[in-house]
Amino acid sequence: MLAYIVRRLLLSVPLILGIVTATFFIAHLAPGDPVDLYLQPHRQVDPEVIERVRHDRGLDRPLPVQYANWLTSSARGDFGESFLLHRPVREVLAETVPYTLLLILAALLVDALLGISLGVVSAVKRGTRLDRTVTLGSLVLYAMPGFWLALMLVLVFSVRLGWFPTSQATSLDYASLSGPGKLLDRLWHMVLPVTVLGVAGAAATARYMRGRLLDVLGEEYITAARARGFRGWTIVRRHAMKNAMIPIITIYGMSLPLMLGATTIVETIFAWPGMGRLTVDAVLGRDYPVILATTTVAAVLTVLGSLLADLGYAAVDPRVSYDGPGN
Amino acid sequence: MLLSVRDLRTRFELDEGELWPVNGVSFSVGTGETLGLVGESGSGKSMVALSILDLVPAPGRIVSGEVDLGGEDLLSMSGAAKRRVRGGEIGIVFQDPSASLNPVYRIGDQIADVARLHRGLGRVEARREAVHLLGDLGIQQPEKRARAYPFELSGGMRQRAQIAIAIAGRPRLLIADEPTTALDATVQAEICDLLKHVQGEFGMSILLISHDLALVADVADRIMVMYAGRIVEVGHWTAITQEPRHPYTKGLIGAIPHLGAGSGSPLEAIAGTVPDLTDLPDGCPFHPRCPEAGEDCRSAVPRLQDVGDRLCACYRVKHTEAVT
């Protein structure tokens, strides 16, 4: 198992390198110059100043040289300094990545709990009004664009009802709150963004889970379990669920990159101080060091997600082993 | 009688029409008896087994009949009482163990679960019982095999494991539905011996369902022959195999290959094919394939009648005194 994990991680190095390289050249080939953007408000700027800024940031060197420099320094863990924030990228990442991970993990939890339970209920109560309601509801939620759902939630629950904050991760008086108060404040701010991120996934999970469970419930070993005298829910829980979960785990592994993409929108709408919003700001401001760093982080997270899914797969399905001969 | 099935009828309503895989079936199984149920594929044998357990899959439905087990009709029991019977009073072994064993649980756990459910054993006891049963059923290194998953075992071992699950609740009746069909010929004989062994050890009755008359004759005390949802002949195994009287049974006996019967003699086959159950002929369902069919066979379905040493459903078979 350990050998497999090491091998997978080694194999992911060229993949991440490829992603980062592509990002580097796409970012630089895109029209627009960070220095122009940076200096635009001042209009009449001494060309010498422009040249100096350009030189300080290494932007006057040929692209391959810039690429090589970036690669060697980032391999040492130095992602350079943000053009916009004038702070080391590593510091900025350390501040924003935890916020994004928090959002994604909470959304995955909502996705799993809500999606799996709705899918199971829907399959067990197949053909009933409940099943049809869940099916219709999940289709509507799945088809709904995330940004629109986010704006509607803000409109209804923040602006009209005032139940949840419109944006940010904490209240203004956060520092003065007690320990439990701080936790509650954070959870309160998470409700809307996590709902937007988790609900679409939950809708998809419910659909997959329903279909998969119905397949499994039609298997002969389920008839056999009934013939052995087990009761309905025991059969679903103990005999069918584990089999039905196998493909769902694969789907979760693939959902991580989708979630990372979705956080850029959700974090921007909710002014969530995470990596997604940072990336959007960096792209708009041609902040190359930040773009490259967040892409690298996203690539690493994606690779780890799919590795975790494969390991989870082996944990659930005894027929999958990474230790057998040939590995 | 341990089990009495009376006038059992199971209907399927399909788009093509309705069909009756079990169409007025009555029989009984005595304590410690082995009853064989023989018929071609599609004759309704397996549906008899599922109907006895009230597990007919949709869109099928048991329309009428009784499944009497020790004076109580299983079909009118409560759900909880039915579940006590399933696995606890009646155990079943299915044809293909690779489909009927749960792929993601260890063999030992699947056996132990049934022992816990029906015999109230504790976790440790049930576990020990699982290993004991596997060993008793001729599996080498039973502790190790109990920890194995179904895919790690051979076909023969899987079928032994399935038998262990079926008897883990100490049922009084064991239904074996084509228990050897999915196995190699050499393993088939072992599984048959095992069924006899289990019966001797626990004194249970067996309903052995198979298309293979030779195999059934080897194990069963009495044999029932089924055709198109109906029982056509029932009798002692010697009567059925030595002196078949229903034309269909005669055809089945004639179709058994004999070793050394002379390489020149062609294997006899029953003319025609099993009828489409949604479109049965009027009268005796066997008459289009029957060499002895007459005009009367086309008019009404012959009833299963006592003809002396057996029951037979054929207008050509008249009552005779048993020649013993």
Side-chain angles (χ1 to χ4, degrees), chain A residues 219-232 237-240 242-243 246 316-320, chain B residues 50 53 55 83 86-87 90 92 94 96 99-105 109 113-114 117-118 149 151 162 165:
Chain A
E219 292 280 350
E220 196 176 305
Y221 53 80
I222 296 300
T223 309
R226 294 180 66 203
R228 288 163 199 155
F230 293 100
R231 60 187 303 152
R237 219 181 38 195
R238 177 138 170 76
H239 299 260
K242 207 173 165 187
N243 284 289
I246 294 168
V316 174
D317 190 345
R319 289 161 294 188
V320 176
Chain B
L50 291 177
L53 293 165
L55 284 177
R83 288 196 296 271
R86 295 175 190 147
I90 305 176
I92 184 164
F94 293 97
D96 183 2
S100 57
L101 293 172
N102 197 319
V104 299
Y105 289 107
D109 292 343
D113 271 357
V114 175
L117 181 70
H118 290 293
Y149 290 97
F151 79 98
Q162 213 202 160
I165 295 173

Side-chain angles (χ1 to χ4, degrees), chain B residues 71-178:
Chain B
E72 261 200 282
D73 179 21
L74 180 116
L75 300 180
S76 51
M77 283 179 188
S78 69
K82 274 181 198 166
R83 288 196 296 271
R84 274 194 296 277
V85 170
R86 295 175 190 147
E89 300 282 339
I90 305 176
I92 184 164
V93 174
F94 293 97
Q95 171 171 346
D96 183 2
S98 26
S100 57
L101 293 172
N102 197 319
V104 299
Y105 289 107
R106 296 175 198 276
I107 293 293
D109 292 343
Q110 298 192 42
I111 302 169
D113 271 357
V114 175
R116 294 182 67 188
L117 181 70
H118 290 293
R119 287 159 64 198
L121 299 187
R123 200 175 282 273
V124 180
E125 284 171 290
R127 178 101 202 116
R128 206 178 298 134
E129 170 71 2
V131 173
H132 170 76
L133 278 175
L134 286 176
D136 190 48
L137 293 176
I139 287 187
Q140 307 291 315
Q141 299 178 283
E143 292 91 1
K144 187 174 163 226
R145 300 303 181 200
R147 284 193 302 272
Y149 290 97
F151 79 98
E152 294 171 312
L153 302 180
S154 69
M157 271 200 273
R158 273 182 222 159
Q159 195 57 296
R160 283 163 203 261
Q162 213 202 160
I163 294 173
I165 295 173
I167 64 173
R170 290 284 186 280
R172 290 187 287 165
L173 172 68
L174 181 66
I175 301 176
D177 185 5
E178 301 270 8

Side-chain angles (χ1 to χ4, degrees), chain A residues 104-284:
Chain A
I104 287 178
L105 289 178
L108 281 175
L109 196 68
V110 167
D111 177 340
L113 291 180
L114 202 64
I116 290 173
S117 44
L118 284 179
V120 169
V121 167
S122 195
V124 172
K125 304 281 174 197
R126 173 189 201 173
T128 61
R129 185 174 296 182
L130 184 64
D131 174 29
R132 284 196 296 273
T133 311
V134 170
T135 300
L136 186 69
S138 47
L139 281 175
V140 168
L141 283 176
Y142 189 67
M144 200 177 281
F147 69 90
W148 187 80
L149 178 62
L151 293 174
M152 287 304 118
L153 288 178
V154 168
L155 187 68
V156 174
F157 291 101
S158 305
V159 178
R160 289 274 161 78
L161 297 169
W163 292 357
F164 298 107
T166 52
S167 61
Q168 304 294 340
T170 49
S171 301
L172 290 172
D173 58 352
Y174 179 75
S176 66
L177 293 172
S178 62
K182 283 184 173 171
L183 183 69
L184 279 177
D185 188 57
R186 283 194 178 274
L187 289 173
W188 188 49
H189 280 83
M190 279 170 72
V191 172
L192 292 186
V194 167
T195 303
V196 175
L197 270 182
V199 149
T205 304
R207 298 299 300 149
Y208 284 123
M209 194 65 210
R210 177 184 185 274
R212 209 21 229 170
L213 193 58
L214 284 178
D215 286 350
V216 170
L217 288 176
E219 292 280 350
E220 196 176 305
Y221 53 80
I222 296 300
T223 309
R226 294 180 66 203
R228 288 163 199 155
F230 293 100
R231 60 187 303 152
W233 274 108
T234 310
I235 289 175
V236 171
R237 219 181 38 195
R238 177 138 170 76
H239 299 260
M241 276 298 279
K242 207 173 165 187
N243 284 289
M245 282 304 293
I246 294 168
I248 305 291
I249 288 171
T250 316
I251 291 164
Y252 272 116
M254 293 189 301
S255 74
L256 193 61
L258 293 176
M259 281 257 178
L260 279 168
T263 55
T264 57
I265 293 162
V266 171
E267 288 183 5
T268 305
I269 291 174
F270 289 98
W272 186 263
M275 195 179 80
R277 197 178 58 149
L278 178 72
T279 310
V280 173
D281 290 347
V283 170
L284 294 176

Side-chain angles (χ1 to χ4, degrees), chain B residues 227 230 246-248 280-303 313-318:
Chain B
Y227 188 80
R230 290 187 166 88
H246 193 285
Y248 177 62
L280 287 179
D282 288 338
C284 174
F286 187 60
H287 85 256
R289 303 170 73 185
C290 181
E292 302 172 36
E295 214 37 62
D296 49 347
C297 299
R298 291 174 223 278
S299 55
V301 181
R303 293 163 57 90
C314 179
Y315 294 123
R316 296 289 158 273
V317 178
K318 299 297 174 220

